[in-house]
């Protein structure tokens, strides 16, 4: 068995929902502004669940779905930009919670592209190291990292997690993928962290632990990369959009997705969207969407799906999938 398929999917979203109208009670904003600029109506917000908890709940659902025991997992990759702690990795905490005692576990930091990066890394390791089963999880607790006084960012994000079980198979599941970074634009989205300070530092470097974003720059980057990434995956596999059943983009902004559909001359219905309910859940958005589509029986065996992500780093990437279950 040389190939890798997605054998199960799962998701978790906190039960607490905050609508745009509720947000307008704590900051100067409106449902009209948020919805017309982004397509967001509400977001799920943690009432104390941290990233590892949400990741573990999504992972348990994916394991159940795949009918695989946690002790049969060889690799856990958690994509997150809002880990529980700097160290240990959130993946190690997930390993402990779900009892996946036979696995190697680590995190990937590629923000909203993290799940795409995670799939690529996990597939490569499964092929090179002989791992049979892996969990790839995108999980975020962004509500602890946004600045609730900055209306230009706090209205955009939500919390949640999505997970897939990857398994070795004779069938092709993850057909092809690519990941890219444009590090020279790293200042566009930051969550800085600790000050640089010690008895040996002459000029203390003050850092912010809150998310900061140059929305306009990211918007320009996102509109071009989403189109280029989809075209790259299609060209590399000699396919065109008629061969693709669904595109699942990172859920950042409806306007970015509308732009991509127009540019690609394809119906926007080909793009799955749930940003209205969840907001931008960064690395979790694509696996949450996958899990939701699976539950709604929208995806069927043999479907060809493109997953496409973009985000802080700046990072981007896409994966072409043959749905094999
Ligand atoms: N409510 C009301 N008014 C607001 C709000 C708000 N929540 N936020 C900003 N405004 C105001 C601004 O102050 C500004 O007012 P001014 O003209 O008087 O100065 C006005 O609205 C317009 O602000 P813009 O920033 O120009 O609004 P824009 O139309 O560009 O939309 C947005 C902003 C939604 C952030 C958009 O730029 C965007 O979607 N960017 C992409 C974000 C993205 O894709 N991120 C993905 C990666 S995230 C990650 O990796 C973790």
């Amino acid at each position: 068995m040389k190939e890798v398929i997605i054998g199960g999917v799962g998701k978790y979203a906190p039960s607490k929902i905050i609508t745009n109208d509720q947000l307008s009670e704590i900051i100067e904003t409106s449902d009209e502004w948020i919805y017309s600029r982004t397509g967001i109506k509400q977001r799920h917000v943690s009432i104390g669940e941290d990233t590892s908890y949400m990741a573990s709940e999504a992972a348990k659902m994916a394991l159940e779905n795949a009918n695989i025991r946690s002790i049969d997992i060889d690799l856990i990759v958690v994509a997150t930009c809002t880990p529980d702690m700097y160290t240990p990795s959130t993946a190690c905490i997930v390993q402990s919670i779900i009892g996946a005692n036979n696995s190697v576990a680590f995190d990937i930091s590629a923000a909203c592209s993290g799940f795409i990066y995670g799939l690529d890394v996990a597939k490569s390791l499964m092929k090179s190291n002989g791992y049979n089963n892996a969990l790839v999880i995108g999980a975020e607790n962004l509500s602890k990292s946004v600045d609730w006084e900055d209306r230009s960012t706090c209205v955009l994000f939500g919390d949640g997690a999505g997970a897939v079980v990857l398994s070795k198979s004779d069938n092709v599941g993850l057909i092809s993928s690519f990941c890219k970074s444009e590090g020279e634009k790293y200042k566009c989205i930051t969550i800085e962290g600790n000050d640089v300070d010690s008895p040996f530092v002459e000029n203390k470097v003050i850092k912010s632990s809150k998310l900061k974003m140059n929305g306009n720059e990211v918007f320009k980057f996102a509109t071009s990369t989403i189109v280029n990434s989809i075209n790259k995956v299609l060209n590399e596999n000699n396919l065109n959009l008629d061969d693709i059943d669904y595109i699942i983009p990172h859920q950042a902004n409806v306007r970015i997705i509308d732009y991509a559909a127009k540019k690609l001359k394809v119906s926007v219905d080909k793009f799955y969207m749930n940003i209205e309910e969840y907001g931008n859940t960064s690395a979790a958005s694509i696996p949450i969407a996958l899990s939701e589509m699976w539950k709604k029986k929208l995806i069927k065996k043999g479907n060809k799906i493109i997953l496409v992500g973009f985000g802080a780093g700046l990072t981007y990437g896409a994966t072409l999938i043959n749905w094999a279950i």
Side-chain angles (χ1 to χ4, degrees):
M1 289 194 285
K2 290 201 190 87
E3 299 300 332
V4 174
I5 61 162
I6 292 179
V9 285
K11 73 173 174 76
Y12 176 84
S15 55
K16 177 86 174 167
I17 288 173
I18 301 292
T19 63
N20 292 344
D21 285 333
Q22 285 170 307
L23 273 186
S24 70
E25 287 165 17
I26 57 170
I27 44 161
E28 205 185 319
T29 190
S30 64
D31 175 54
E32 196 281 320
W33 192 96
I34 300 170
Y35 188 65
S36 64
R37 305 272 172 144
T38 68
I40 299 167
K41 275 273 175 202
Q42 60 168 56
R43 67 285 296 140
H44 295 250
V45 176
S46 161
I47 51 162
E49 306 101 314
D50 211 346
T51 306
S52 62
Y53 175 84
M54 295 188 266
S56 300
E57 289 301 305
K60 285 183 212 164
M61 190 190 281
L63 285 167
E64 199 180 311
N65 235 264
N67 203 14
I68 283 186
R69 298 172 306 172
S70 57
I71 50 166
D72 295 323
I73 292 291
D74 306 301
L75 167 70
I76 301 173
V77 178
V78 173
T80 186
C81 60
T82 51
D84 287 25
M85 311 178 192
Y86 283 131
T87 198
S89 68
T90 302
C92 281
I93 305 173
V94 170
Q95 177 184 21
S96 158
I97 295 172
I98 68 172
N101 301 336
N102 296 319
S103 62
V104 55
F106 58 87
D107 288 358
I108 282 189
S109 172
C112 306
S113 315
F115 184 71
I116 303 288
Y117 276 49
L119 287 180
D120 211 21
V121 169
K123 177 185 164 184
S124 303
L125 282 176
M126 288 174 81
K127 288 195 164 196
S128 62
N129 287 16
Y131 300 144
N132 286 320
N133 299 303
L135 265 169
V136 180
I137 307 167
E140 302 286 6
N141 185 358
L142 281 148
S143 61
K144 71 178 180 183
S145 294
V146 295
D147 176 352
W148 286 101
E149 288 176 3
D150 175 7
R151 66 178 182 170
S152 68
T153 52
C154 73
V155 301
L156 303 174
F157 297 98
D159 300 330
V164 297
V165 171
L166 300 182
S167 292
K168 281 271 184 64
S169 171
D170 291 325
N171 301 320
V172 182
L174 303 186
I175 301 171
S176 93
S177 62
F178 82 96
C179 300
K180 274 287 255 180
S181 313
E182 293 185 9
E184 73 277 9
K185 296 178 186 154
Y186 79 91
K187 287 184 179 161
C188 283
I189 309 171
T190 54
I191 303 174
E192 293 174 347
N194 287 347
D195 295 344
V196 180
D197 190 23
S198 81
F200 315 103
V201 171
E202 274 180 29
N203 300 308
K204 183 172 165 177
V205 183
I206 308 285
K207 301 221 174 173
S208 163
S209 60
K210 297 297 173 196
L211 185 144
K212 289 188 190 146
M213 179 169 76
N214 179 338
N216 292 330
E217 271 304 306
V218 179
F219 193 87
K220 275 188 255 161
F221 164 80
T223 45
S224 66
T225 41
I226 188 172
V227 173
N228 295 342
S229 301
I230 292 166
N231 279 332
K232 186 173 161 65
V233 166
L234 290 172
N235 293 339
E236 281 177 357
N237 292 280
N238 293 318
L239 298 172
N240 60 55
L241 279 168
D242 291 337
D243 301 313
I244 303 299
D245 297 287
Y246 279 107
I247 298 168
I248 307 181
H250 166 50
Q251 311 281 313
N253 189 320
V254 163
R255 288 191 294 149
I256 293 171
I257 298 167
D258 284 343
Y259 172 91
K262 229 176 249 160
K263 198 87 184 156
L264 292 163
K265 298 189 176 57
V266 67
S267 162
V268 77
D269 294 343
K270 197 156 263 208
F271 289 78
Y272 185 74
M273 283 192 259
N274 62 10
I275 189 169
E276 189 168 323
E277 176 181 346
Y278 294 95
N280 178 347
T281 56
S282 190
S285 84
I286 293 173
I288 286 176
L290 249 185
S291 177
E292 215 174 56
M293 291 173 79
W294 171 242
K295 200 165 176 212
K296 289 181 184 166
K297 298 192 178 5
L298 287 174
I299 38 181
K300 298 178 186 67
K301 195 170 178 171
N303 278 176
K304 298 253 180 321
I305 302 165
I306 292 177
L307 314 178
V308 54
F310 47 84
L314 295 174
T315 56
Y316 57 103
T319 307
L320 174 66
I321 289 176
N322 173 47
W323 196 255
I325 52 171

